[in-house]
Each structure stands twice: as structure tokens, then as C-alpha cells.
Amino acid sequence: MLIQRPTDILPSEITSPEIYRGRRDFMRTAGSLALAGSLGLQAADAAAGVKLAGTRPGPYGTSEELTSYKDVTTYNNFYEFGTDKADPAVNAGSLNPRPWTVQVDGLVKRPGQYDIDALLKLASLEDRIYRMRCVEGWSMVIPWVGYPLNELIRRVEPLGSAKYVEFTTLNDRAQMPGLRSPVLDWPYTEGLRLDEAQHPLTLLAVGLYGETLPNQNGAPVRIVVPWKYGFKSAKSIVRIRFVEHRPVSSWEKAAPREYGFYSNVNPEVDHPRWSQARERRIGEFRKRATLMFNGYGEQVARMYTNLDMRRYY
Amino acid sequence: MSGYLMSPRQFSALKTGLFLLCLVPLANLVYGLLSDTLGANPIEALTRGLGDWTLRFLLITLAVTPLRRLSGLNWLLKLRRMLGLFTFFYALLHFASYVWLDQFFDWAAIWKDIVKRPFITVGFASLLLLTPLAATSTNAMIKRLGGRRWQLLHRAVYAIGLFAVLHYWWMVKKDITQPAIYAVLLTLLLGLRVYWMLRRAGAR
């Protein structure tokens, strides 16, 4: 039964990712045996599942309880696979995350095409446990695997004129059934200021829970910007472009009054239609207070000292 | 009277069957909550599920009169009160789920929602408007008010329909497919009434 107050959990009682992974392995083995006959089910799962070896613990961790793997992978906003949050887990099997290349271009000295395998080896992979706050008023704690986006940025050497970074999600109707609906202006486009993109918190994520990303979570490579609302973290990206002028993101284009370019988590600036003061952590009953910058103020607040956060929401 | 194709006993069995049928959506949601099959955010799923069913019952109730007219099955009218009361029942549960599970009796936040968020304002208005209709649903109340005044009062259901659809429409983030379907159905049900009214006025 889910209706209960969350218990106060000692950090020592929280399942470590290692043990959690062990449990996943057990479940997977048990599941594979049980499902040995039904290959259809396994095909969708095969895209996730690959363990990422040699990851090391990264900084900025939290001792908060992790959101379960099941909730992280079945409650997703990924409109390319449908607008219901249960849709991506059901429909994302048609995405083929390999082979995959990411085009890195625009105002950089060394543009290039990065194969996903090259990206995986570009820098050492870290386990990063981040809070994720959705603009809709719910949140999760997710153990990502990846490395700072800046590892890639410094290799391509942005020119002085590069002020912003634009991310583009795959736009292939054959793989993404949700693209047939004009609910957003495809391809999904997001952007960050260059200093935001270079911030050590900004992650180029390739996995979660120690494994490659499940398709519904943005396989094979995505951005994670933990102090901004979730939609700022573009999934399944195929292009990273360095530009001079501020890009207009898909959600901003769809409803500029509701989804600004910055979209920093801010309990004091409400969404025009609902309050952002509190959030429901998935798995918990009572709502909790939303923290400024999603609790990452110490790391990121200085980037916004000269910014009117009410105007530039 | 025409249209009574069944015996009182058969009709009473039909009514009991319908009553139980109307409880199935609730049973489904409660079962989902207890068995943890409502997904990662069961509170949202429950609140929205109850809201969906309120709207569905409202439209079903509004469909009784046109259906009776088109089919000639006059006994349908005798089911309307029960359907209307189920609309109110699901609306109350929807509101209770919001007040208890979603906001956890944070009355200040609830009040702020009601005055500040248009989608909650219209949702709350529909609940308020539904209340007198439920309260005057008994035969005794119809008698006390008199048929004409009772009917006038119960025309509030048209406004309730409009508010309820707006409540849903303004709530969704981007994909308005679902509320649009309800809007089309409501337009059809109210449009038929307007059409018949105009025709009657023209015939006079």
C-alpha cells in the first residue's frame, strides 16, 4: 500500500548502487530464464541492460533514497514516443541506439562526428546521483552514468563567438512514433548558455543504474542538467551545435509564457498554471518543498547573480 | 405511455445492474491503488482517473435526454437521476483525492490554487454548482420547488459541462487530444438541445 508517511531513512540503510545493481542482475537472470521463450519481450529490454564497466563514483552525490529502477524507467516524458508518461516505456523499443553518431559543430575549432563508442571512451565514466525535478511538480533521484559535458566541449575548442550550445534530439519517424503528432515543433531542440554547458554538474549521460540508458530514458546519449526542470535535459541527442545567439527550445516555442529558456528550478516563480513551491518525490506520499536550483544553489547560483530570475524564468 | 418494454421487476433489475456498473470504475481505481498497479505516481493517477470518470458520467447523464428522444425509449429518463448522482459522487471523490492525497489538507495552498489557477477555479465552480443539483434530486424537493423552478435550476448542468471540460483543457500541458474529445461530445449533446429548441421556436 502506498498511502503512508515516508519513514526517516538513515543514510546507512539506503541501498548502495552496487547492491542495487546486484539485485538487478539477479532479477535479470531470473527474468531471462523465465522469459527464455518469449523473445519479443527481451528485444525491447536488450537495448538497456548492458552493464557499463569501470565507472567511478563522481562528485555532487546525494544520500537521498534512489527512485526505483522501475519508476525511473516507466514514468517518462519523452513525447517522441507518446505524450502519456507510460508511453515511452511501451513504445521506445523501436528506437535503435546503435549505431549512433553525434554531430558536434558550429562555432568550434574542431567540429566532428562522434560515434557512440568513441563518446563512451572519451572520458572516464562516473556514477552521479542527481535529483531530477520535472516542471510538472514531481521529482526523482537518479543514479546516472556519464561524464561532464565539458570534457567534450574542451576537446572541440569553442570559438570566442560561441555563446550558447544547442542540442538536437533524433527526428526519425520510423523509430519514434510520437513524431507523427505535431504536439511540439520537431526535432526536439534544447539549449544552454555556454557557461551552463561547461559547468561541472552538466552531464553527458550514457547510462543509469550502472547500465546503458534504456531507450525511454534517452538512449544512447543525453544531457542531464540537474538544477533545471527536466525538459531542459535533451534525450537521444544527435547534434551539439555551438552558436552565437540564444537558441529557442521546443517547449519555449510551444508556450513561451510557461517554459522559459532558463527554466532553473525555482520555488518562488510559479508556472502560470500551477505552483512550483512543492513537489512530489516519486514513491513518497506527502509533497516536499522544492529547493532553489533543485538544491544545487551552492554550485550554480553564482552564474545567475546578475539575472532577474522572475523575468528570465 | 410508450417505450416501456419491460416489467417493473425487470426495470428494477436493470437499475440495480446499472448501479453496480457505475461502481466498477471506482473499484478498478481502488484495486489499482491497493495492488500498486497505477504506475509511478499513483496519487496523480487516482486523482485524474476520478476526474475522467466524473466527466464521463456527466456526459452520460447529458446523453439521456437526447437518447430518449431519438430512440423513443422513455424509461431511459428514469435512470437519469442515478447517473447524475454518480456524477456528483465521482466529483466529490475527485475533490477529496485532491484535498487529501494531493494537497494533504493544506488549506492555504488549496485556497491559493482555487483563486489563482483558472483550471482549478472552474473545476471548483463545477463542484459548487453540482451540489444544489444533487441536493434537490429527490421527489420531495422537486415537489417543493415546483417543476418549472426545478428545471430552471437544473439547467445549471450545461454550465457545469462547460466548466468541467475547461477544467480538463486548461490542465493539460500540451497534448489536448483527450479534452478535445470531451469538448466535441459536449458540443454535440448541447448542440442537439439548441437545435431542438430552435426548431420548436420556429414551429410556433
Side-chain angles (χ1 to χ4, degrees):
Chain A
M1 174 90 183
L2 273 141
I3 299 176
Q4 57 182 21
R5 282 158 174 267
T7 49
D8 290 320
I9 297 168
L10 292 168
S12 60
E13 288 176 332
I14 293 167
T15 317
S16 74
E18 284 74 23
I19 293 173
Y20 202 101
R21 242 174 270 157
R23 201 162 66 196
R24 290 280 308 154
D25 289 344
F26 170 74
M27 298 283 280
R28 190 170 304 284
T29 315
S32 314
L33 288 171
L35 291 168
S38 51
L39 287 166
L41 267 171
Q42 282 194 310
D45 212 34
V50 184
K51 204 162 167 171
L52 290 161
T55 65
R56 60 183 173 90
Y60 313 113
T62 166
S63 59
E64 290 161 275
E65 190 183 4
L66 300 180
T67 304
S68 75
Y69 182 87
K70 186 181 170 225
D71 287 347
V72 170
T73 55
T74 55
Y75 193 72
N76 309 100
N77 275 319
F78 198 169
Y79 280 18
E80 282 83 341
F81 297 107
T83 56
D84 192 277
K85 279 186 277 294
D87 286 343
V90 176
N91 299 331
S94 52
L95 176 74
N96 189 4
R98 258 158 214 279
W100 192 280
T101 46
V102 179
Q103 185 181 339
V104 185
D105 61 355
L107 305 170
V108 290
K109 264 193 210 130
R110 303 157 62 89
Q113 302 264 353
Y114 285 82
D115 184 75
I116 183 63
D117 291 309
L119 273 181
L120 278 163
K121 288 183 207 125
L122 190 93
S124 66
L125 297 178
E126 299 173 23
D127 290 302
R128 294 248 185 139
I129 302 172
Y130 282 169
R131 288 177 289 276
M132 199 284 287
R133 168 65 156 81
C134 178
V135 73
E136 296 167 353
W138 52 270
S139 63
M140 293 183 177
V141 179
I142 306 173
W144 300 106
V145 180
Y147 51 78
L149 175 64
N150 198 34
E151 293 285 349
L152 175 65
I153 294 177
R154 62 186 183 80
R155 280 169 175 80
V156 298
E157 297 175 45
L159 303 174
S161 51
K163 299 280 183 276
Y164 295 91
V165 187
E166 182 190 76
F167 307 97
T168 310
T169 296
L170 179 72
N171 184 22
D172 180 1
R173 283 186 182 206
Q175 296 185 60
M176 298 172 142
L179 292 173
R180 266 167 255 156
S181 156
V183 64
L184 289 172
D185 189 5
W186 311 115
Y188 193 88
T189 307
E190 256 309 335
L192 294 171
R193 229 165 51 187
L194 183 60
D195 61 330
E196 296 176 324
Q198 289 171 319
H199 193 280
L201 269 170
T202 303
L203 208 61
L204 192 77
V206 294
L208 60 83
Y209 269 103
E211 298 170 348
T212 49
L213 284 171
N215 289 352
Q216 61 269 32
N217 293 85
V221 59
R222 62 171 294 169
I223 304 298
V224 177
V225 196
W227 72 92
K228 293 175 181 282
Y229 293 118
F231 69 90
K232 290 296 295 179
S233 299
K235 303 185 185 79
S236 304
I237 53 170
V238 292
R239 189 176 188 193
I240 300 174
R241 193 161 71 107
F242 292 77
V243 293
E244 186 175 357
H245 300 289
R246 188 172 81 68
V248 180
S249 66
S250 291
W251 276 106
E252 187 187 0
K253 208 181 270 182
R257 280 281 301 110
E258 302 191 349
Y259 310 102
F261 173 76
Y262 284 94
S263 285
N264 292 317
V265 175
N266 188 342
E268 284 151 32
V269 177
D270 284 346
H271 184 281
R273 290 185 285 151
W274 55 80
S275 165
Q276 295 291 27
R278 292 183 304 156
E279 66 198 54
R280 171 162 292 111
R281 179 68 51 84
I282 294 302
E284 291 181 359
F285 176 43
R286 293 282 295 273
K287 285 186 176 174
R288 54 166 70 211
T290 288
L291 304 174
M292 188 68 203
F293 296 115
N294 202 21
Y296 297 99
E298 207 183 302
Q299 288 83 29
V300 302
R302 64 188 157 75
M303 290 195 289
Y304 307 105
T305 42
N306 295 319
L307 191 79
D308 177 355
M309 305 261 294
R310 261 178 205 288
R311 196 163 158 215
Y312 297 99
Y313 46 90
Chain B
M1 270 165 89
S2 68
Y4 287 94
L5 300 167
M6 57 187 113
S7 70
R9 243 182 91 180
Q10 279 173 316
F11 185 73
S12 144
L14 175 85
K15 232 172 137 174
T16 311
L18 182 67
F19 184 88
L20 294 173
L21 194 66
C22 290
L23 287 170
V24 169
L26 177 64
N28 241 327
L29 286 167
V30 171
Y31 175 76
L33 197 67
L34 297 178
S35 61
D36 194 14
T37 51
L38 290 184
N41 197 346
I43 293 173
E44 184 190 72
L46 178 76
T47 310
R48 293 197 177 167
L50 290 168
D52 284 343
W53 279 102
T54 307
L55 199 44
R56 283 170 201 156
F57 273 107
L58 185 65
L59 293 182
I60 292 168
T61 312
L62 280 169
V64 169
T65 298
L67 272 182
R68 184 192 69 131
R69 250 189 103 140
L70 293 169
S71 69
L73 299 171
N74 286 331
W75 53 266
L76 280 172
L77 199 59
K78 291 187 142 190
L79 302 172
R80 193 174 60 180
R81 168 160 47 194
M82 196 209 304
L83 291 166
L85 285 170
F86 265 110
T87 307
F88 184 60
F89 174 66
Y90 277 93
L92 273 183
L93 288 175
H94 174 58
F95 184 66
S97 174
Y98 161 73
V99 167
W100 177 34
L101 303 176
D102 192 58
Q103 299 289 340
F104 206 80
F105 307 108
D106 185 343
W107 298 109
I110 292 166
W111 181 245
K112 214 177 129 191
D113 260 0
I114 290 172
V115 295
K116 225 181 139 179
R117 323 270 168 222
F119 90 89
I120 294 181
T121 314
V122 289
F124 189 65
S126 345
L127 180 69
L128 283 186
L129 282 170
L130 266 176
T131 311
L133 306 202
T136 57
S137 67
T138 60
N139 288 339
M141 281 308 285
I142 298 173
K143 219 171 245 167
R144 240 176 89 179
L145 279 172
R148 271 187 89 86
R149 271 194 294 172
W150 183 89
Q151 206 172 27
L152 204 67
L153 174 67
H154 280 247
R155 290 215 173 110
V157 74
Y158 306 141
I160 293 166
L162 181 72
F163 287 171
V165 168
L166 276 179
H167 173 55
Y168 193 3
W169 194 292
W170 287 343
M171 185 272 290
V172 299
K173 198 163 147 203
K174 190 73 206 342
D175 185 0
I176 48 135
T177 315
Q178 287 292 324
I181 291 169
Y182 289 106
V184 167
L185 290 172
L186 181 74
T187 309
L188 196 76
L189 292 171
L190 298 189
L192 269 174
R193 288 169 165 85
V194 173
Y195 171 74
W196 282 324
M197 200 182 72
L198 291 176
R199 225 176 47 169
R200 208 180 323 140
R204 240 177 244 154

